[in-house]
Amino acid sequence: MNPIFLAIILGEVAFWMFLALGLLCRYVWKKEKLSLVLLAATPLIDLFLLGVTFIDLSTGTNPTFFHGLSAAYIAFSIVYGHQTIKWADEWANHKWNNGTLPEKICLVGEAKKQEQWRSFYRFCKCSLIMLILNYS
């Protein structure tokens, strides 16, 4: 199995484990500090993947599809990671802490257009980061 592909899978599993454990610590076990440490550590997964990819390429390995996939994973995580953690935190607060159900906002008109532009800019940032990682 390709070592970069394995690192991507390990990174994805680690992200969801850190996220789940961080939210369990916060809302079920009431360990606020441990929760903050676990959630704040999620960007370290990106650094791990970046390091593995860099080391693999610096040893003379020819770039493959998996190196590009690694760049895409890191870019997606940088741009959408905070949003994903926020969504999971709202869900866990509702499920385990009797918090309010996150409201689904139905946007129309100008508000919908602005949200679609924000989404497009996030996509552009993700693409730009991926291109920088792929061509540096």
Side-chain angles (χ1 to χ4, degrees), residues 2-118:
N2 186 296
I4 299 302
F5 184 61
L6 183 61
I8 292 169
I9 291 174
L10 288 173
E12 184 69 10
V13 169
F15 171 78
W16 288 106
M17 285 179 57
F18 274 61
L19 181 58
L21 287 172
L23 295 174
L24 283 168
C25 285
R26 176 176 289 172
Y27 295 114
V28 176
W29 303 318
K30 307 297 183 200
K31 305 275 188 193
E32 192 69 29
K33 288 182 182 178
L34 182 57
S35 169
L36 289 173
V37 169
L38 288 168
L39 293 175
T42 56
L44 297 177
I45 297 163
D46 297 332
L47 291 176
F48 161 76
L49 185 56
L50 187 62
V52 169
T53 304
F54 175 78
I55 290 169
D56 191 48
L57 289 172
S58 67
T59 61
T61 305
N62 289 329
T64 65
F65 166 79
F66 296 110
H67 294 94
L69 186 61
S70 171
Y73 178 87
I74 292 167
F76 185 89
S77 181
I78 289 169
V79 174
Y80 294 100
H82 177 74
Q83 193 174 346
T84 303
I85 291 171
K86 183 181 175 200
W87 164 82
D89 188 50
E90 289 173 352
W91 178 87
N93 184 33
H94 166 68
K95 207 68 162 163
W96 296 324
N97 201 33
N98 296 325
T100 59
L101 183 63
E103 227 178 274
K104 287 191 177 185
I105 300 170
C106 184
L107 300 174
V108 293
E110 187 66 28
K112 183 173 184 173
K113 183 173 81 173
Q114 288 176 351
E115 179 54 35
Q116 288 176 336
W117 276 112
R118 279 192 292 273

